[in-house]
């Protein structure tokens, strides 16, 4: 199964979950909105879920790094944090080797060429990134360095000592960066277990919120209102700008949002910095054609007694196996008010999810459905094709009327 197949399967599973748990999702949305008024309970739950998914060797590693920063001599003989990736990580950190991480299979290997379908770990440009870091972020780093040495140094640091500490900070940053990405496959495996095996509602809600409900833009809007209200320091404002750039790039590359949607947010915000950040980021981001495909399931599309309607639909498919007659099925559902507004392709895709055998191509029924919707009077014509269509549609409209 390809990564695209995995994504489509995950999307379908989450959509089906949401269709059956609407009240839980609405509760989640209310908690998201409450963030704007300072209620961080949802953030605490989310952090708890992410913490539960952290692999044990990752915990060991971060504990090791923390101890090293506080007192390098205390971890000289501590090997508990080291993993199977040490040699590969060293090649990447000190010799700029590239590492490829396939998050769908968990395979990790050194590579010579970047692969757009995998996570690529490289450190040859981190030094450059450090130099181009915003001045506010450099101030934060300098503050951290000062905190590290404050207890043992009573005089200001000489320039060469400060440079040495900055180089050490860069080395630690590279190390944390490389190992954090190496742990991604194990982390995703744990997250998958929480979602699929344990059925963690919060994970389903977050996935649906981000993928199908413009979630990143909604969170950005909450942050924007906090900035307008003067509730952020210069540091949190810089953190917001970094998150905003990441949100925009992620939503466009994964087609969960559009440039037009982000422009709308920019025009609605009362914060000039937010407006400029969105517009500048959009200029440098490549659009990928807008929203994801509409992959709603029949449970999400049907209105009324869903189980009864699905049973009738299965009967229809058995009686009318021809692909072209799928157009009449959607038309009859539309006329009886038993289906949400959708295009034919969405309906065809939802049907295919329900049945095990292929339904055939969608071109012919899609064209016939569009003909019917554009000119319903075709059903009154004397053509044999349309007379058959009228007979089928009338019969099934009568049956569907009993599905409310």
């Amino acid at each position: 199964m390809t990564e695209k197949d995995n994504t489509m399967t995950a999307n379908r599973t989450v959509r089906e979950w949401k269709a059956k748990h609407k009240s839980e999702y609405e509760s989640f949305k209310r908690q998201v909105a409450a963030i704007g008024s300072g209620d961080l309970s949802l953030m605490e739950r989310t952090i708890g879920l992410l913490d539960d998914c952290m692999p044990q060797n990752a915990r060991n590693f971060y504990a090791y790094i923390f101890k090293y920063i506080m007192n390098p001599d205390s971890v000289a003989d501590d090997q508990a944090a080291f993993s199977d990736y040490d040699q590969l990580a060293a090649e990447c950190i000190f010799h700029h080797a590239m590492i490829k991480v396939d998050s769908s299979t968990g395979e990790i290997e050194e590579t010579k060429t970047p692969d757009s379908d995998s996570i690529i770990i490289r450190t040859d440009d981190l030094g450059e990134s450090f130099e181009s870091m915003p001045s506010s972020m450099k101030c934060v780093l300098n503050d951290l360095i000062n905190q590290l040495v404050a207890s043992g140094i009573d005089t200001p640091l000489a320039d060469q000592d400060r440079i040495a500490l900055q180089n050490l900070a860069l080395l630690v940053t590279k190390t944390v960066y490389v190992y954090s990405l190496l742990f991604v496959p194990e982390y995703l495996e744990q997250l998958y277990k929480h979602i699929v095996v344990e059925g963690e509602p919060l994970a389903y809600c977050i996935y649906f919120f981000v993928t199908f409900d413009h979630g990143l833009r909604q969170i950005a809007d909450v942050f924007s209102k906090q900035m307008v209200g003067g509730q952020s320091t210069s540091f949190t404002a810089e953190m917001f700008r970094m998150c905003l750039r990441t949100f925009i790039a992620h939503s466009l590359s994964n087609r969960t949002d559009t440039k037009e949607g982000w422009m709308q947010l920019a025009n609605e915000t009362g914060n000039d910095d937010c407006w400029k950040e969105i517009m500048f980021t959009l200029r440098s981001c490549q659009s990928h054609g807008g929203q994801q495909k509409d992959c709603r399931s029949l449970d999400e599309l049907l209105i009324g007694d869903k189980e009864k309607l699905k049973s009738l639909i299965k009967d229809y498919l058995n009686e009318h196996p021809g692909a072209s007659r799928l157009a009449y099925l959607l038309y009859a559902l539309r006329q009886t008010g038993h289906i949400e507004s959708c295009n034919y392709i969405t309906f065809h895709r939802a049907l295919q999810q329900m049945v095990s055998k292929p339904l055939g191509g969608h071109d012919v029924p899609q064209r016939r459905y569009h003909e019917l919707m554009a000119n319903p009077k075709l059903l009154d014509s004397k053509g044999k094709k349309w007379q058959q269509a009228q007979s089928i549609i009338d019969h099934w409209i009568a049956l569907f009327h009993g599905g409310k």
Side-chain angles (χ1 to χ4, degrees), residues 4 38 41 83 90 134 208 269 277 282 314 317 333:
K4 181 178 179 181
S41 58
S83 69
F208 188 92
T269 182
E277 196 66 49
L282 288 176
K314 290 177 181 178
L317 295 176
L333 288 166

Side-chain angles (χ1 to χ4, degrees), residues 171-323:
L171 175 61
V172 171
T173 300
K174 284 184 179 182
T175 304
V176 172
Y177 166 74
V178 170
Y179 274 92
S180 295
L181 290 179
L182 286 171
F183 293 138
V184 163
E186 295 177 60
Y187 185 89
L188 292 178
E189 183 179 352
Q190 292 294 324
L191 186 59
Y192 179 84
K193 178 182 176 184
H194 275 72
I195 295 175
V196 177
V197 179
E198 300 175 11
E200 171 60 55
L202 179 59
Y204 279 102
C205 288
I206 292 173
Y207 190 110
F208 188 92
F209 181 64
V210 171
T211 306
F212 300 112
D213 207 6
H214 309 292
L216 294 178
R217 185 159 29 116
Q218 292 186 53
I219 291 294
D221 187 32
V222 171
F223 287 174
S224 172
K225 288 182 172 62
Q226 289 180 322
M227 290 178 70
V228 172
Q231 301 175 33
S232 61
T233 64
S234 58
F235 174 71
T236 56
E238 182 60 35
M239 291 298 100
F240 163 73
R241 284 189 282 271
M242 290 177 64
C243 289
L244 186 57
R245 291 192 290 271
T246 303
F247 288 173
I248 293 173
H250 178 88
S251 68
L252 295 181
S253 64
N254 289 280
R255 305 186 186 187
T256 59
D257 219 319
T258 63
K259 284 190 173 183
E260 290 74 17
W262 283 105
M263 287 180 184
Q264 179 183 348
L265 175 61
N267 292 328
E268 291 174 354
T269 182
N271 183 276
D272 290 341
D273 288 337
C274 180
W275 182 90
K276 287 188 291 187
E277 196 66 49
I278 294 174
M279 300 307 290
F280 288 157
T281 304
L282 288 176
R283 289 177 189 174
S284 61
C285 285
Q286 180 181 358
S287 180
H288 291 268
Q291 285 291 101
Q292 285 190 332
K293 294 177 181 178
D294 187 347
C295 297
R296 282 177 288 176
S297 65
L298 280 179
D299 281 328
E300 293 177 279
L301 291 173
L302 295 176
I303 300 172
D305 187 335
K306 299 179 189 294
E307 294 306 316
K308 184 174 182 180
L309 288 169
K310 285 191 290 185
S311 178
L312 287 170
I313 289 172
K314 290 177 181 178
D315 291 341
Y316 182 97
L317 295 176
N318 289 330
E319 291 186 30
H320 305 287

